């Protein structure tokens, strides 16, 4: 079974600064997908960024980028130029390539301060 | 493209009562998930459908929870009888399983309070 661990329950950052959220996972699979989802108070889960395990290049989406270390089973999210609207709960998630369940971590509550 | 629709948004019931939640996935999405999210925790899978067949219900408390997906489109999740510990947000998500790397799209969830 796959497990996903987010060791930072809460983090805060000043507006316009950079913050990194950590995620580690455990799996015996060699082919899989990793995701970061954002959940604001509205409860709507929104995809932030995804990474395919067979791709060595780290994914980037505008201000969001990941540091994917496959051997270490680490998948951190870096948010640059933090904005007030980035305040939300962030979840790291794992999915086998066969498209089975999404397994989520416990989440990191990020607060961006003005 | 319309998103995943869920109703109701909120529900308060007394313990031992029954409740049902409804989900309408994105059109054409064969995979449908129901997740339970207890306050302060990550979502945990209750059941996964592929079209109208169950793929994974290993974490569904089958003595009180049931789910169906008739005609492979809409889905309902039922709890009978409810317990206090069932208080949570119930999230429905769908995914286009025909494309290997697509993400799951989530509805806004139903917040259930059992008193």
């Amino acid at each position: 079974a796959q497990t996903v661990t987010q060791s930072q329950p809460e983090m805060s950052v000043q507006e316009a600064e950079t913050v990194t959220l950590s995620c580690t996972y455990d799996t015996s699979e060699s082919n899989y997908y990793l995701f970061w989802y954002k959940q604001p108070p509205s409860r709507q889960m929104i995809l932030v960024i995804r990474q395919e395990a067979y791709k060595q290049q780290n994914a980037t989406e505008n201000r969001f980028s990941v540091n994917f270390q496959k051997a270490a089973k680490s998948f951190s999210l870096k948010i640059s130029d933090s904005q007030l609207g980035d305040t939300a709960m962030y979840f790291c998630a794992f999915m086998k390539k066969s498209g089975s369940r999404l397994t989520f971590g416990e989440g990191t509550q990020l607060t961006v301060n003005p | 493209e319309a998103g995943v629709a869920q109703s109701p948004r909120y529900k308060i019931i007394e313990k031992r009562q029954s409740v049902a939640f409804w989900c309408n996935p994105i059109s054409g999405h064969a995979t449908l998930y129901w997740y339970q999210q207890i306050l302060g925790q990550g979502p945990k899978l209750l059941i996964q459908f592929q079209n109208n067949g169950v793929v994974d219900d290993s974490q569904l408390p089958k003595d009180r929870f049931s789910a169906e997906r008739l005609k492979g489109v809409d889905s309902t999740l039922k709890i009978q009888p409810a317990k206090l510990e069932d208080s949570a947000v119930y999230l429905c998500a769908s995914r286009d399983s025909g494309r290997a790397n697509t993400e799951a799209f989530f509805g806004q969830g139903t917040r259930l309070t059992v008193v």
Side-chain angles (χ1 to χ4, degrees), chain B residues 29-64:
Chain B
H29 282 194
T31 302
L32 185 146
Y33 308 91
W34 282 103
Y35 281 86
Q36 180 192 58
Q37 186 178 19
I38 294 172
L39 184 64
Q41 298 183 15
K44 289 182 171 52
L45 182 74
L46 290 174
I47 190 167
Q48 177 184 350
F49 290 95
Q50 182 71 15
N51 295 308
N52 60 351
V54 176
V55 173
D56 185 350
D57 64 355
S58 57
Q59 296 185 96
L60 185 73
K62 297 180 184 65
D63 58 332
R64 298 184 300 106

Side-chain angles (χ1 to χ4, degrees), chain A residues 21 23 33-39 45-52 57-68 75-80 90-95 102 104, chain B residues 101-104:
Chain A
L21 279 56
C23 173
Y33 299 98
L34 295 163
F35 305 87
W36 279 99
Y37 276 89
K38 168 184 176 180
Q39 188 180 42
M45 283 277 200
I46 302 164
L47 179 69
V48 174
I49 197 165
R50 87 188 84 187
Q51 175 79 42
E52 298 175 45
Q57 187 173 7
N58 288 324
T60 62
E61 288 286 342
N62 301 312
R63 300 183 294 109
F64 300 88
S65 62
V66 299
N67 183 2
F68 173 48
F75 182 60
S76 61
L77 174 69
K78 185 171 84 170
I79 305 174
S80 304
Y90 286 80
F91 291 98
C92 178
F94 172 100
M95 185 177 74
L102 268 172
F104 287 88
Chain B
N101 65 347
T102 56
E103 75 269 25

